[in-house]
């Protein structure tokens, strides 16, 4: 009887052990499945948050520095646009192979501010405008000043105050890049300076707008203007025919826009009806070539910016005859203006040049006296 009882107990214990083992195994298997699934979902979520691959990924790694490893889509787009702009406006590298001193630092500052502005900034009406003059060096000033981390500039010319004013300020504001409260919003349209309605329209937007005017020897400017037009319309009359009503009598045709733009004092008098002279800064197109750091230093002072853009950022490109920005450490190429900048001027007879110098002299002198600056064009 006792033996039969022990045998029954042994069988029960064996069955219990088997069932317990199977239950424990199933429990372990279920937990393993749940854990693995959670890990997979977590990884998928992480992958979803990673930034998509960018054509500039290699350069971006150096540029971003301590910025978040995962940049926003807007930042990636901005990097792609910057790289495209550099590819489209570069020249052979001579001194440009030397990176700008502290290039990584200012590039990081610029990129960091741009990243934050893209995420948290607002589109605002511009605080400052480059209003002129055509063929004076406005594109160079824009490209040079926009490397400053506290400046966000519109790359294209909106022509709001001369051609698109009827579209309204909301349309104009929507064109602007996003900026932080500490940043300056800037745009460039050189034709504003010679548009009679422009100063009245600008002051109605804001009485405190700062105005930058890039001026150049009016004779050289007119020849440059003509050279540009000739490249697009090769069948136009000669420079001499357009510049004079009667060359033998020295009668200059002031109705020709290339001549009239250079009569700076006439246009300035219109602006001074709406703006104080202290709100205007005049950049010398000549000194912008020979001393870009000095001219840009004064522009930064005028805008109330710290002098970050210095001579360490520039080198002189002998092919273009114009200064270019040294390449940042994050870029393999320098940053020069496009092919249309620095083109060889049409050869003009020396007597024609002297006649135009005599014509412009009284206008120049009055302009010097008004702005309190001698540009030494005479």
């Amino acid at each position: 009887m006792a033996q039969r009882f022990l045998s029954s107990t042994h069988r029960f214990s064996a069955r219990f052990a088997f069932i317990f083992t199977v239950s424990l195994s199933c429990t372990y298997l279920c937990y393993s499945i749940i854990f693995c699934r959670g890990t997979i979902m977590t990884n998928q979520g992480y992958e979803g948050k990673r930034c998509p691959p960018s054509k500039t990924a290699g350069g971006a790694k150096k540029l971003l520095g301590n910025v978040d490893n995962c940049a926003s889509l807007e930042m990636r787009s901005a990097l792609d646009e910057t790289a495209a702009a550099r590819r489209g406006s570069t020249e052979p590298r001579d001194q440009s192979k030397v990176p700008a001193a502290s290039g990584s630092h200012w590039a990081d500052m610029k990129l960091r501010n741009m990243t934050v502005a893209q995420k948290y900034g607002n589109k605002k009406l511009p605080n400052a405008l480059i209003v002129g003059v055509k063929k004076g060096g406005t594109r160079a000033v824009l490209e040079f000043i926009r490397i400053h981390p506290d400046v966000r500039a519109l790359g294209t010319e909106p022509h709001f105050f001369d051609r698109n004013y009827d579209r309204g300020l909301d349309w104009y504001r929507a064109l602007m890049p996003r900026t932080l409260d500490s940043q300056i919003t800037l745009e460039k349209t050189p034709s504003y300076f010679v548009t009679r309605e422009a100063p009245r329209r600008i002051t109605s937007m804001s009485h405190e707008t700062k105005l930058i005017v890039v001026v150049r020897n009016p004779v050289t400017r007119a020849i440059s203007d003509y050279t540009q037009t000739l490249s697009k319309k090769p069948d136009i009359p000669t420079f001499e025919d357009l510049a004079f009503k009667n060359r033998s009598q020295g009668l200059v045709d002031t109705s020709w826009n290339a001549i009239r733009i250079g009569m700076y004092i006439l246009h300035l008098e219109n602006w001074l009806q709406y703006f104080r002279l202290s709100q205007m800064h005049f950049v010398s197109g000549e000194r912008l070539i020979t001393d870009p750091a000095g001219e840009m230093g004064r522009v930064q002072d005028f805008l109330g910016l710290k002098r970050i853009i210095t001579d360490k950022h520039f080198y002189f490109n002998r092919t273009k005859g114009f200064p270019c920005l040294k390449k940042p450490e994050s870029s393999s190429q320098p940053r020069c203006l496009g092919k249309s900048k620095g083109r060889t001027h049409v050869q003009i007879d020396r007597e024609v040049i002297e006649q135009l110098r005599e014509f412009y002299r009284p206008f120049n002198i009055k302009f010097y006296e008004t702005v309190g600056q001698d540009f030494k064009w005479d």
Side-chain angles (χ1 to χ4, degrees):
M1 184 71 180
Q3 187 177 2
R4 188 176 299 176
F5 175 78
L6 290 173
S7 177
S8 176
T9 302
H10 178 72
R11 286 198 299 273
F12 176 79
S13 298
R15 286 177 182 177
F16 178 82
F18 174 78
I19 293 172
F20 178 79
T21 302
V22 170
S23 298
L24 187 63
S25 298
C26 290
T27 302
Y28 176 80
L29 180 62
C30 289
Y31 273 108
S32 296
I33 293 173
I34 292 172
F35 176 79
C36 290
R37 183 176 182 275
T39 303
I40 292 171
M41 292 300 290
T42 301
N43 287 339
Q44 287 179 340
Y46 173 73
E47 288 294 325
K49 292 179 181 178
R50 288 177 59 188
C51 295
S54 168
K55 295 179 181 178
T56 59
K61 288 179 182 178
K62 295 181 181 178
L63 271 174
L64 288 173
N66 295 326
V67 182
D68 291 343
N69 290 329
C70 182
S72 64
L73 289 175
E74 291 90 345
M75 191 66 256
R76 292 291 187 185
S77 176
L79 286 170
D80 288 345
E81 290 175 7
T82 302
R86 284 174 177 160
R87 288 195 298 270
S89 61
T90 54
E91 291 296 315
R93 292 177 291 166
D94 33 70
Q95 299 174 48
S96 60
K97 292 182 180 179
V98 181
S102 303
S104 176
H105 176 66
W106 66 258
D108 283 346
M109 286 178 63
K110 176 68 178 179
L111 196 56
R112 188 186 302 276
N113 283 7
M114 186 165 67
T115 305
V116 175
Q118 290 278 4
K119 291 181 179 179
Y120 306 111
N122 297 310
K123 293 195 172 189
K124 299 179 293 186
L125 293 171
N127 316 82
L129 302 171
I130 301 175
V131 297
V133 297
K134 179 184 178 184
K135 307 308 296 179
T138 57
R139 173 55 61 179
V141 172
L142 180 73
E143 293 303 318
F144 293 164
I145 196 63
R146 72 192 305 186
I147 70 174
H148 197 292
D150 291 330
V151 174
R152 297 297 312 282
L154 184 64
T156 57
E157 297 175 4
H159 286 277
F160 176 66
F161 295 105
D162 57 353
R163 302 177 190 171
N164 297 305
Y165 193 64
D166 59 340
R167 291 176 179 261
L169 287 174
D170 289 340
W171 176 86
Y172 185 46
R173 182 188 291 107
L175 299 177
M176 299 300 143
R178 292 184 180 277
T179 52
L180 303 174
D181 290 340
S182 60
Q183 292 178 311
I184 289 175
T185 304
L186 179 73
E187 73 107 325
K188 170 191 87 80
T189 305
S191 54
Y192 289 163
F193 190 65
V194 297
T195 301
R196 189 154 192 82
E197 300 84 4
R200 175 179 54 80
R201 292 171 174 176
I202 293 171
T203 196
S204 68
M205 174 186 73
S206 172
H207 292 283
E208 302 304 318
T209 305
K210 292 187 176 183
L211 308 170
I212 297 172
V213 188
V214 190
V215 291
R216 183 184 186 185
N217 185 318
V219 179
T220 309
R221 197 222 64 83
I223 296 172
S224 178
D225 199 336
Y226 175 79
T227 301
Q228 183 182 55
T229 304
L230 185 66
S231 68
K232 300 174 182 177
K233 301 177 181 179
D235 57 343
I236 62 173
T238 65
F239 179 86
E240 293 88 337
D241 290 341
L242 292 170
F244 293 92
K245 290 181 178 179
N246 188 320
R247 187 186 164 191
S248 62
Q249 296 180 14
L251 295 177
V252 176
D253 189 353
T254 57
S255 66
W256 185 32
N257 205 41
I259 293 293
R260 188 164 185 81
I261 289 174
M263 301 162 70
Y264 302 136
I265 186 60
L266 300 185
H267 309 297
L268 178 58
E269 287 172 346
N270 181 42
W271 284 85
L272 291 178
Q273 294 181 48
Y274 300 91
F275 289 92
R276 303 181 305 276
L277 190 62
S278 60
Q279 289 178 261
M280 306 183 76
H281 178 72
F282 298 89
V283 177
S284 167
E286 287 79 17
R287 287 197 298 269
L288 190 62
I289 296 174
T290 60
D291 182 22
E295 283 301 297
M296 293 311 299
R298 287 182 280 274
V299 170
Q300 291 171 92
D301 292 344
F302 172 69
L303 295 175
L305 299 170
K306 181 179 179 181
R307 284 200 178 196
I308 289 178
I309 306 168
T310 66
D311 55 359
K312 297 176 181 179
H313 293 99
F314 298 98
Y315 80 97
F316 189 80
N317 186 304
R318 294 180 180 179
T319 303
K320 296 182 73 67
F322 204 87
C324 297
L325 293 169
K326 288 182 180 179
K327 73 180 187 69
E329 293 175 2
S330 56
S331 172
S332 61
Q333 294 179 324
R335 187 172 173 184
C336 284
L337 299 181
K339 294 180 180 180
S340 64
K341 307 300 180 181
R343 63 161 66 92
T344 303
H345 288 176
V346 174
Q347 291 296 314
I348 305 298
D349 186 85
R350 190 70 187 174
E351 290 185 6
V352 171
I353 293 176
E354 288 301 323
Q355 284 180 297
L356 289 177
R357 281 180 176 171
E358 286 298 319
F359 166 77
Y360 279 119
R361 183 168 285 110
F363 296 101
N364 291 345
I365 292 172
K366 192 173 182 182
F367 180 67
Y368 300 163
E369 292 173 349
T370 304
V371 302
Q373 187 175 348
D374 186 352
F375 291 93
K376 302 185 185 303
W377 295 325
D378 302 296

